[in-house]
Amino acid sequence: MRLSDLKTGESAVIVKILGHGAFRKRVMEMGFVKGRKITALLAAPLRDPVKYRIMNYEVSLRRTEASLIEVMPINVASGKEDGRPDKDAAGHLAFASDHTMVDDGALDEHSHGEFVGRRHTINVALIGNPNCGKTSLFNIASGAKEHVGNYSGVTVDSKTGTFRHGGYTFNIVDLPGTYSLSAYSPEERYVRTYLKDHNPDVIVNVVDASNLERNLYLTTELIDMDHSMVIALNMYDELRRSGAVLDFEALGNMIGVPVVPTVSRTGEGVDKLFDTIIQVYEGKNRVVRHVHVKLSQDLEKALSEIKDALKQDKTINQQFCARYLGIKLLERDAEIEELVRESKSADGLLDLRDRQLEYLERHNPGEDISSLIADDKYGFISGALAETMKQPQEQAVSTTHILDAFVTSRLFGFPLFLCVMAFIFWFTFFVGAYPADWIQEGVDWLAALVKEKMAPGPLKDLLANGVIGGVGGVIVFLPNIMILFFFISFMEDSGYMARAAFIMDKLMHKIGLHGKSFIPLVMGFGCNVPAVMACRAIESRSSKIITVLITPFMSCSARLPVYVLLIGTFFSVHAALVFLGMYILGVVVAMATARMLRRLFFKVDETPFVMELPPYRVPTMKTSLRHMWWKGKQYLQKMGGIILVASVIVWALDYFPLGNADDPGQDSYLESVGKTVQPVMEPLGCSWQGTVAMVAGVPAKEIVVSTLGVLYTGSDEATDQALSARLTAPNPSTGLPDFTPAAALAFMVFTLLYCPCLATVVAIVKETGHWGYGAFTVLYNTAVAWLLAFAAYRVALLF
């Protein structure tokens, strides 16, 4: 039978993987190997994808991918109830070494002391699976303020930090989370390229203690690379709570790598970890020795000949260990093959590899070589843990399973998600209104003070209308933005974001995308720039490009001031509903665009849905508040930077030449620009001031409100009024207010959808690798914005 036929609650043993290519390699690396026990836990609300348990962790697969995995019901597979391969099948736990450690090349004590005295700097690379607590460890060790999220793909680039410990300076690099060191995903390629180009002094392999068997697969690959290494057995408190007992010292001696238990959330064991790094760096740790992860006899024979040939080419061996290169050549790793082709002996090496593959295929008919290697490595891991770890007699029902019964259920999943989002928007608008009002009173008081105390002239007008009117009009919304970022951070850190991707995968699949695409889209509610960057975690290039192009339709926090201003002014009775409606409109437009792009331009999508569902973890208030403050700080920096400069420029263009009062009938420069573009925006009910605000918002959407603040603070009579009151005041020229409810609605729709800020456009060009995608975003988004804003205006006029 196939895995897709397994009913909820039933268990089976994996017989073989029938798929091929990227899917086959990924699921094998995640533990889907022959003889492994797997249990169907539950299906998503729309019956697809399905969540399974394997090796004490949970993963979701679409039914189409599950149909490519052949399984045998657990009651038929006698002797396999524990889900572990037989030792004869996987090979006994064994070690081998090309050489023993000698001191011939070591420095004498005096020279070593002199060397250490000159160079007390250790370059450390943090490498581990997603969700292993790697970035948390980086933050607590280096004091950095990087955001930590409880789902795959948070760290999509390397982060660096520097700190001192034990008389040494540590340059620490937090690399993207990865399951292996192949060339399947962008994270894997990034990590491997970093190790090749930078060669850190010590690798810290961060391992999730609650998911040891899966996490240690990456450890075996790092052992193959033969780097100096220390294992940080992170989240050790979760292992203790589970009732399991691990002899981590024995495990370290067995694999030749020191193991240090840590709890990065609290800092437990971190000092000990860096003390151990110093020992390894100085060559004084007795645990360290080079150990081979023993493969089957046929694989070792084939690997030995390739390895011996690789050792003859010193140019290749300077970048990677010969054993690691040999294994990757047997796995037909494309990037390693390209690396070998740069060698003068490339033809001979690849011919030798092909002969060895023929030998292996002849002695293992019907078996995939990558599957054989993964099988042997997991057999090695199983044997090591069998000798060092004792599991509790009874497995308790975890909090994660209880919560998932509701959060990802067919009945409660979608309503709960919508309720969560509605609550966030309600809290952001109504609770944030109180501190926003206090800030508004302070801004008004300061503007009135300047008007009262300063002598008339350009400087007074600049401070009152340009600086205070512009920057003050935006800083009022700081509380709303900080509240929104607090909730987004909490959802990411808790693990709920991954569940949101799980329950949304079916809908995402209908528009031609992957459930993973949902995560960058939700991040886009905070800021489109990091959301676009997060798209690099999507393996399929077509899905990645589509997600990048639709991410700007997600309503980022920079648009929030526009909503708060106009909704509070014109739709206060139904504020939460209108607020939520704007976000839903962005999502609907994004989905329609994705569907169009998939049908017309990107017709092939080979991406499998394989995504880890991490356990729920309660975020610390300190972490969530720190992330909220970090985003608030960035917003304040914008106040003193681009928004201040833009406000002054807008004021100057509005003040001159009309400010000279030589010709009262003469339009200001800004009014001239607005009236030039006005015919395009007039069908949307937009005044020239609104048109200018839209144009000014192209560099950064925060400038839209600050521009309105400058343009509507022209008279002393208006000084005492909030910006909302000035928008509804009659225009002296027409006798009617510039903004009506219909015009305000069209204005918000256009702000939501028209071309993204320049920083987002640059990020799109960078992530896609082509300027054409940036140009498409600017033109297409603006056209869609105009059409929908026009429709909104005309429909609103009917009511």
Side-chain angles (χ1 to χ4, degrees), residues 425-435 480 483 572-577:
F425 297 142
W426 173 85
F427 199 95
T428 298
F429 184 84
F430 284 100
V431 176
Y434 292 101
N480 306 91
I483 290 172
S572 58
V573 177
H574 305 289
L577 184 62

Side-chain angles (χ1 to χ4, degrees), residues 214-270:
R214 205 282 315 286
N215 277 243
L216 288 175
Y217 184 88
L218 176 61
T219 305
T220 64
E221 294 211 306
L222 292 170
I223 290 174
D224 290 336
M225 296 187 102
D226 195 21
H227 275 284
S228 295
M229 184 165 64
V230 177
I231 293 177
L233 194 63
N234 204 26
M235 303 181 190
Y236 194 67
D237 55 334
E238 295 186 11
L239 184 141
R240 287 192 297 243
R241 283 198 299 269
S242 71
V245 177
L246 174 68
D247 188 344
F248 58 86
E249 292 182 347
L251 178 63
N253 287 320
M254 199 175 288
I255 63 178
V257 181
V259 179
V260 181
T262 60
V263 182
S264 58
R265 184 172 56 88
T266 63
E268 178 184 341
V270 173

Side-chain angles (χ1 to χ4, degrees), residues 13 91 104 137 238 264 302 407 429 449 459 503 552 561 577 630-632 661 690 757 762 771:
V13 173
D104 296 349
L137 180 62
E238 295 186 11
S264 58
V407 172
F429 184 84
L449 183 66
L459 181 59
I503 66 176
L577 184 62
W630 183 47
K631 289 296 184 181
C757 67
V762 170
W771 65 268

Side-chain angles (χ1 to χ4, degrees), residues 678-709:
Q678 181 59 19
V680 178
M681 300 299 293
E682 190 171 4
L684 311 183
C686 196
S687 65
W688 73 264
Q689 292 95 332
T691 301
V692 170
M694 291 293 188
V695 175
V698 171
K701 295 297 179 287
E702 294 93 340
I703 301 175
V704 173
V705 171
S706 67
T707 301
L708 291 175

Side-chain angles (χ1 to χ4, degrees), residues 503-554:
I503 66 176
M504 292 296 293
D505 179 68
K506 185 71 173 181
L507 291 178
M508 300 298 290
H509 190 53
K510 287 184 177 297
I511 63 173
L513 290 177
H514 188 293
K516 280 186 177 180
S517 297
F518 185 71
I519 293 172
L521 295 180
V522 174
M523 290 178 67
F525 290 145
C527 180
N528 290 162
V529 176
V532 168
M533 294 174 63
C535 293
R536 68 182 65 166
I538 302 171
E539 291 87 355
S540 167
R541 176 162 175 79
S542 62
S543 292
K544 171 186 171 181
I545 291 176
I546 293 175
T547 308
V548 164
L549 293 179
I550 67 173
T551 294
F553 289 122
M554 299 298 104

